[in-house]
Amino acid sequence: MTYAPSERQQERIAFRRRQAVRSVLLAALSTVVVGVLIVAGVTGSPGWPRVRQSFLNADVATKYLPDILDGFWLNIQLFLVCAPLALLLGLLMAVLRTLRGPVFFPVRALATGYTYTFRGLPLIITIYLFAFGLPGLRLQGTPDVLVLGGAAIVITYGSYLAEVFRAGIESVHPSQVAAARSLGLSYRQSMRHVVLPQAVRRVAPPLLNDVVSMQKDVGLISLAGPIDAIRSAQIGQAGSANFTPYVVAAVLFILLALPLIVITDRVTLRAARAQNAGT
């Protein structure tokens, strides 16, 4: 038997469609109005011609875009390496902090000291310490500043991610671990098959937010000396006495962040829907 909505139900559906169309049109109209007002206010200001010449110069942007793109490729490579390493380090530190028993106290203390220290230490200072302090020890086999700067980013963000992972682990009710142990699973198996899957799913949105933050902070590697997008923009600014190269680098970083931001928003929305549904 084919279901046929009643007349009243069809009226409700039609009304909701009209309301949805009306909401979309109002949102689009209000966005256009606000955008026009902002553009008019900025371009109509007395200093706009000078700002446009100093920050939005098309000739300068075209001249230095190839060099900035070459440096930006280094930022992308650094991010692709640092992000998974920071996630693994954060997960390891979170697991070490949740170990129980007095025999694991030194391990917990070291993990706690690590997270407290590098969460409070500014990333810029950490990069300086790693990139310029460690080579000063003159140890044999010391890597170059690019590797040391990347290590500073991994260690700093690993401390943030460790706390996110730990919050997810502790959000899993202890009764689930007890149930897993009663079924014969070891502590390691309980963490792997019961606790960590739930913990990672619950904290996926804040994890992705930290990854987005890392994506832009890899630009700080320029402080250590490598020629990335930021350093290339700085060279372009010094050569042209114009700030447009910085704007070009900023646009590239925004374009790189957009896919991650969209994924983060979708994961957050799915998590909220799942929580509201009670799943």
Side-chain angles (χ1 to χ4, degrees), residues 12-249:
R12 292 196 188 100
I13 294 174
F15 175 76
R16 290 171 181 169
R17 289 177 178 173
R18 290 194 301 269
Q19 289 295 105
V21 172
R22 180 173 177 270
S23 299
V24 171
L25 292 177
L26 286 176
L29 178 61
S30 61
T31 302
V32 170
V33 171
V34 172
V36 170
L37 291 176
I38 292 175
V39 171
V42 172
T43 57
S45 59
W48 167 245
R50 185 170 184 176
V51 170
R52 182 179 59 186
Q53 177 66 25
S54 299
F55 289 89
L56 301 174
N57 191 305
D59 295 333
V60 175
T62 303
K63 179 180 179 180
Y64 291 100
L65 178 60
D67 294 335
I68 296 174
L69 283 175
D70 290 339
F72 189 62
W73 174 236
L74 176 63
N75 292 119
I76 295 176
Q77 291 176 303
L78 187 65
F79 172 68
L80 293 177
V81 173
C82 290
L85 291 178
L87 288 168
L88 291 175
L89 179 61
L91 180 59
L92 175 62
M93 291 296 108
V95 172
L96 293 180
R97 287 198 65 182
T98 58
L99 293 176
R100 298 292 181 259
V103 70
F104 294 112
F105 176 77
V107 178
R108 292 197 303 270
L110 289 175
T112 302
Y114 158 74
T115 55
Y116 282 13
T117 299
F118 287 98
R119 286 171 65 200
L121 192 62
L123 178 57
I124 294 178
I125 296 179
T126 306
I127 291 176
Y128 280 142
L129 291 175
F130 275 67
F132 303 124
L134 291 181
L137 298 176
R138 299 184 179 181
L139 300 175
Q140 187 175 5
T142 301
D144 60 24
V145 292
L146 177 61
V147 176
L148 293 174
I153 295 173
V154 170
I155 290 176
T156 299
Y157 270 91
S159 62
Y160 296 131
L161 296 170
E163 288 301 286
V164 177
F165 278 120
R166 187 171 72 93
I169 292 172
E170 293 183 348
S171 69
V172 179
H173 199 277
S175 62
Q176 299 198 35
V177 179
R181 298 300 298 273
S182 68
L183 293 175
L185 274 68
S186 64
Y187 177 80
R188 181 180 63 85
Q189 292 173 328
S190 301
M191 290 292 294
R192 178 183 176 184
H193 298 290
V194 178
V195 177
L196 289 181
Q198 298 183 69
V200 173
R201 182 177 61 185
R202 293 179 180 181
V203 299
L207 284 176
L208 290 173
N209 280 327
D210 284 338
V211 172
V212 171
S213 297
M214 182 192 299
Q215 174 268 323
K216 60 184 179 60
D217 281 346
V218 294
L220 294 176
I221 195 66
S222 61
L223 298 172
I227 308 299
D228 70 332
I230 304 300
R231 179 67 68 184
S232 298
Q234 183 182 25
I235 295 173
Q237 188 274 332
S240 63
N242 193 286
F243 290 98
T244 302
Y246 282 118
V247 177
V248 173

